[in-house]
């Protein structure tokens, strides 16, 4: 499903128990200097990540000051985040002239402790190549290194390296719990392009070798992945970024099932198995 760019007025873009991705939650909050917003999401753990600007984040009386260091866009510095336990009361206050802040969430039933992830604590992996048109970098905010501190939520930022190319290839899916081969993880993306009038395409193929769907994605597009193989591409001459939310049904570790038709490509793309390991 494609949700076109729009002013969500600080209301959830993907609310709790969404019919397509019930394991996910997603909001974008826009504030100006001194403004605050409060939220709590019962039944969901969340993560606060400024796309741009700097914010103070207060979680049940615990303050994480000066979160976020990017000014112009998501390419302007490293991401930072605060993990928020299930149902906790949160207050976000804008420190800079303005902020656009992502709130990612996953369904969970236990209350853990809040913590922050600063730029130096990111887990970064880069793979692919210009020759294979698959060169990209992933910055894990809540990645494998946080398995003992987070319930079901995985949060990352993905960047194409260079201009043009494919991401999420070889095509894979994660819509069925059938360990050890695959896990059910609902997934939500929010896309950005540089320059911001760039665009791309999101494919969604429900079954191997059967016709699927394709969505024209633009700066600010949100994509909901409930089922199927889902590679995406950016037009030549543009760079693409997407904020990624994964929520697991039965476990946090992601097990991707690669599309049989294209599985041989796993052996042609440099570093891809390191990428797969970082989600486990």
């Amino acid at each position: 499903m494609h949700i076109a760019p729009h002013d969500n007025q600080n209301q959830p873009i993907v609310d709790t128990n969404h019919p397509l991705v019930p394991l996910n939650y997603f909001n974008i909050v826009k504030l100006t200097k001194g403004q605050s917003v409060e939220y709590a999401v019962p039944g969901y753990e969340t993560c606060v990540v400024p796309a741009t600007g700097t914010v103070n984040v207060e979680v049940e009386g615990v303050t994480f000051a000066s979160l976020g260091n990017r000014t112009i866009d998501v390419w302007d510095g490293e991401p930072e985040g605060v993990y928020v336990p299930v149902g906790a009361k949160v207050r976000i206050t804008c420190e800079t002239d303005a902020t656009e802040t992502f709130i990612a969430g996953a369904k969970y039933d236990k209350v853990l402790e809040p913590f922050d992830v600063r730029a130096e604590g990111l887990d970064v992996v880069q793979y692919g190549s210009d020759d294979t048109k698959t060169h990209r970098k992933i910055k894990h905010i809540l990645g494998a290194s946080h398995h003992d501190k987070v319930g079901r939520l995985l949060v990352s930022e993905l960047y194409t390296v260079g201009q043009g190319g494919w991401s999420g290839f070889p095509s894979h899916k994660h819509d069925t719990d059938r360990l050890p081969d695959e896990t059910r993880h609902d997934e939500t993306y929010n896309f950005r392009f540089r320059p911001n009038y760039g665009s791309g395409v999101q494919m969604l193929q429900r079954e191997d070798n059967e016709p699927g769907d394709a969505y024209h994605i633009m700066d600010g597009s949100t994509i909901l992945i409930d089922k199927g193989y889902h590679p995406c591409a950016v037009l030549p001459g543009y760079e693409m970024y997407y904020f990624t939310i994964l929520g697991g049904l039965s476990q946090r570790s992601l097990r991707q099932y690669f599309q049989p038709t294209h599985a041989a490509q796993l052996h042609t793309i440099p570093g891809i198995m390191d990428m797969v390991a970082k989600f486990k």
Side-chain angles (χ1 to χ4, degrees):
M1 177 181 177
H2 176 225
I3 300 174
H6 67 284
D7 181 3
N8 64 306
Q9 299 183 355
N10 294 349
Q11 298 303 307
I13 295 172
V14 178
D15 211 342
T16 58
N17 295 310
H18 190 280
L20 283 182
V21 287
L23 304 179
N24 289 171
Y25 174 89
F26 178 51
N27 196 1
I28 298 177
V29 171
K30 296 180 180 179
L31 303 170
T32 57
K33 191 169 186 176
Q35 285 187 326
S36 296
V37 67
E38 296 181 350
Y39 81 88
V41 189
Y44 288 72
E45 57 188 347
T46 59
C47 183
V48 177
V49 179
T52 55
T54 303
V55 298
N56 283 340
V57 182
E58 185 177 341
V59 184
E60 297 286 359
V62 179
T63 299
F64 301 94
S66 300
L67 184 78
N69 53 61
R70 300 184 287 204
T71 56
I72 300 171
D73 56 28
V74 293
W75 283 268
D76 183 30
E78 302 296 334
E80 296 186 328
V82 166
Y83 172 79
V84 176
V86 172
K89 295 179 181 178
V90 183
R91 183 179 180 88
I92 302 170
T93 303
C94 180
E95 282 190 350
T96 46
D97 288 341
T99 182
E100 180 183 19
T101 295
F102 298 136
I103 303 173
K107 185 174 285 190
Y108 194 50
D109 59 359
K110 297 181 178 65
V111 177
L112 305 175
E113 295 296 321
F115 64 91
D116 59 348
V117 179
R118 301 294 174 160
E120 61 274 11
L122 298 172
D123 192 1
V124 180
V125 60
Q126 187 165 328
Y127 78 94
S129 66
D130 294 336
D131 288 342
T132 59
K133 306 296 188 293
T134 58
H135 207 174
R136 71 172 183 167
K137 179 181 287 187
I138 305 174
K139 300 178 181 180
H140 294 281
I141 302 164
L142 295 182
S145 60
H146 300 106
H147 276 333
D148 60 338
K149 302 171 72 175
V150 182
R152 297 282 188 267
L153 179 62
L154 291 156
V155 178
S156 305
E157 295 190 336
L158 292 84
Y159 298 78
T160 57
V161 177
Q163 297 180 328
W166 285 87
S167 188
F169 187 83
S171 305
H172 62 274
K173 72 181 186 75
H174 38 76
D175 55 39
T176 306
D177 259 344
R178 51 187 190 97
L179 288 169
D181 297 322
E182 183 181 1
T183 55
R184 157 90 183 268
H185 276 73
D186 292 353
E187 189 163 28
T188 297
Y189 300 147
N190 186 261
F191 286 90
R192 302 299 160 97
F193 294 89
R194 186 164 72 167
N196 64 4
Y197 49 82
S199 64
V201 62
Q202 172 73 62
M203 292 174 57
L204 185 55
Q205 190 176 14
R206 301 294 183 177
E207 296 183 24
D208 191 20
N209 290 323
E210 294 294 331
D213 300 315
Y215 305 99
H216 180 203
I217 50 176
M218 304 177 69
D219 195 76
S221 286
T222 299
I223 289 285
L224 312 185
I225 305 290
D226 60 326
K227 181 180 180 181
Y229 305 99
H230 47 278
C232 56
V234 56
L235 295 175
Y238 301 96
E239 294 176 79
M240 182 171 74
Y241 155 102
Y242 51 112
F243 184 72
T244 303
I245 306 165
L246 283 159
L249 176 65
S250 61
Q251 66 176 44
R252 185 165 185 265
S253 295
L254 173 69
R255 294 279 181 171
Q256 305 170 62
Y257 178 74
F258 287 92
Q259 188 172 3
T261 296
H262 306 300
Q265 298 273 15
L266 285 166
H267 306 291
T268 69
I269 299 174
I272 194 166
M273 298 315 294
D274 291 336
M275 179 277 293
V276 172
K278 288 291 186 180
F279 278 104
K280 292 182 178 179

